Amino acid sequence: MDKLRKSPRGIMGFPVTPMDSRGNIDLDGLRANIDFLIKSGLSSIFVVCGAGELQSVSNDEYKEIVRVAVERTKGKVPLYTGVGGNIKQALEQARISQELGADGYLIFPPYLIDPSQDGLYAYLSTIINSTDLNAIVYNRGNCLLEVETLQKLCELPQLVGFKDGIGNIELNAELTHAIGDRLEWINGMPLAEVTMAAYLNLGFKSYSSAISNYIPHISIKYYHALLNGNKAEAREIYKNVILPIHRIRKKKKGYAVALIKAGMEIVGLPVGTNVRPPVTPVEKEHYEELEHIIKKALEKYPNDVKV
């Protein structure tokens, strides 16, 4: 009998990969990050993905990160990993994820090549079929799936979700209407809270949250306001917290990662702001702007979960 498969749903936690001043992985910082997200009530944990600088870690580091994540999440929430890029490397990452006990993985686009639809199918299906773990495909960059390609991928039982990082509303409407509840639909746009109100109407019930690494309770409050039709509260949080942070994030490329670490340091999480090239740390002026926004947000919306 085929096993029952289900994707995580709700607000998904995407920890960073903390690093010390010499650029080495700080596993204690990672433990603190994961523990904070779980205590805050996020539905799942996704390590070494975009926020976790997948593109910049070695296979040995990848193993250590996944091992720690399995240890911290076991029996609490589902754990997914990031895999992708070079096909051989992606297959090795998928193998490691299965051997160490992850529940599934999020598949990132192939490296550099601008593939055809049959090329994308071959890339994604090869990774999906390489293990028995749950798989989520990520529509972003050079991995732009058409309806027919995603429908064909849906024949693979391991596929449980679709994450969108492109923002093509017309395409998303086609996909959700054609495929329905066969997949979990996940908003993966940068600072997904910015677009979540629109995505809900298309059937997307889940999203990856960058700001949940430092103000998860505010993201949860916003999500519940959207679900419950509390437009006034949703608008207030959007205006005072989400939009101002989004405007800082857009000021410099790479801030999708660096700004998360800055926010975490501001609230007192022990992760530091060190990143690996080509990502660069947040500039002092922007750090101070973020600090001011977070301070005001925490005055209005205190967090019951202590850092």
Side-chain angles (χ1 to χ4, degrees):
M1 181 183 291
D2 291 339
K3 69 179 183 181
L4 181 65
R5 296 180 182 272
K6 186 171 68 171
S7 167
R9 171 173 282 197
I11 305 177
M12 301 169 172
F14 281 69
V16 298
T17 297
M19 299 167 188
D20 64 24
S21 59
R22 293 174 306 221
N24 298 317
I25 305 297
D26 175 6
L27 294 176
D28 286 336
L30 177 64
R31 290 184 182 97
N33 190 177
I34 293 172
D35 290 351
F36 178 65
L37 290 169
I38 294 173
K39 287 177 186 175
S40 297
L42 272 70
S43 71
S44 48
I45 297 295
F46 287 67
V47 292
V48 274
C49 293
E53 298 179 72
L54 170 64
Q55 78 287 344
S56 299
V57 301
S58 69
N59 269 356
D60 287 342
E61 291 171 329
Y62 187 93
K63 288 178 188 175
E64 288 305 305
I65 293 168
V66 176
R67 185 175 288 113
V68 166
V70 169
E71 160 207 316
R72 306 314 283 188
T73 59
K74 191 161 186 163
K76 299 173 183 174
V77 296
L79 171 69
Y80 281 63
T81 61
V83 306
N86 175 311
I87 184 66
K88 299 297 285 186
Q89 186 173 12
L91 291 171
E92 176 66 7
Q93 291 162 344
R95 183 190 65 79
I96 291 168
S97 299
Q98 178 165 257
E99 286 185 359
L100 293 181
D103 297 291
Y105 37 71
L106 173 65
I107 305 176
F108 280 73
Y111 175 70
L112 195 61
I113 299 297
D114 184 16
S116 60
Q117 289 297 297
D118 57 340
L120 284 174
Y121 177 82
Y123 170 78
L124 293 167
S125 62
T126 298
I127 298 169
I128 292 169
N129 281 324
S130 71
T131 79
D132 192 45
L133 296 185
N134 290 344
I136 297 171
V137 293
Y138 198 176
N139 219 43
R140 66 174 289 180
N142 58 344
C143 185
L144 181 53
L145 296 170
E146 295 175 1
V147 175
E148 294 77 12
T149 308
L150 187 58
Q151 285 176 319
K152 190 176 178 183
L153 287 168
C154 283
E155 296 171 6
L156 307 177
Q158 299 99 314
L159 183 64
V160 297
F162 172 92
K163 182 179 181 184
D164 178 57
I166 292 175
N168 184 329
I169 296 298
E170 181 180 350
L171 175 61
N172 287 334
E174 287 187 43
L175 292 171
T176 53
H177 280 86
I179 294 167
D181 61 5
R182 165 66 181 84
L183 299 177
E184 182 67 28
W185 303 96
I186 304 162
N187 179 359
M189 293 295 289
L191 218 166
E193 289 86 352
V194 172
T195 53
M196 195 57 199
Y199 273 72
L200 270 176
N201 290 326
L202 294 172
F204 285 68
K205 305 299 183 189
S206 304
Y207 65 91
S208 55
S209 175
I211 65 172
S212 282
N213 278 296
Y214 49 97
I215 46 173
H217 63 297
I218 296 178
S219 181
I220 291 169
K221 194 173 188 66
Y222 178 68
Y223 181 55
H224 287 165
L226 290 179
L227 292 179
N228 296 327
N230 189 340
K231 293 182 180 180
E233 183 170 60
R235 190 178 299 114
E236 183 180 73
I237 295 171
Y238 192 94
K239 177 183 175 183
N240 295 326
V241 184
I242 294 168
L243 195 55
I245 293 175
H246 178 58
R247 285 172 174 157
I248 299 174
R249 188 196 61 78
K250 293 197 300 180
K251 288 183 177 181
K252 189 173 181 180
K253 290 183 177 180
Y255 272 11
V257 174
L259 202 68
I260 299 173
K261 289 187 173 181
M264 294 173 76
E265 182 178 73
I266 289 165
V267 301
L269 283 160
V271 300
T273 58
N274 298 302
V275 289
R276 286 182 178 171
V279 181
T280 56
V282 173
E283 294 177 13
K284 185 174 183 292
E285 175 190 354
H286 301 152
Y287 186 102
E288 290 172 351
E289 288 177 24
L290 180 63
E291 191 171 30
H292 176 74
I293 294 166
I294 292 174
K295 180 182 176 183
K296 292 290 187 184
L298 291 176
E299 286 173 358
K300 187 168 184 61
Y301 310 107
N303 192 357
D304 294 332
V305 177
K306 300 304 178 187
V307 172

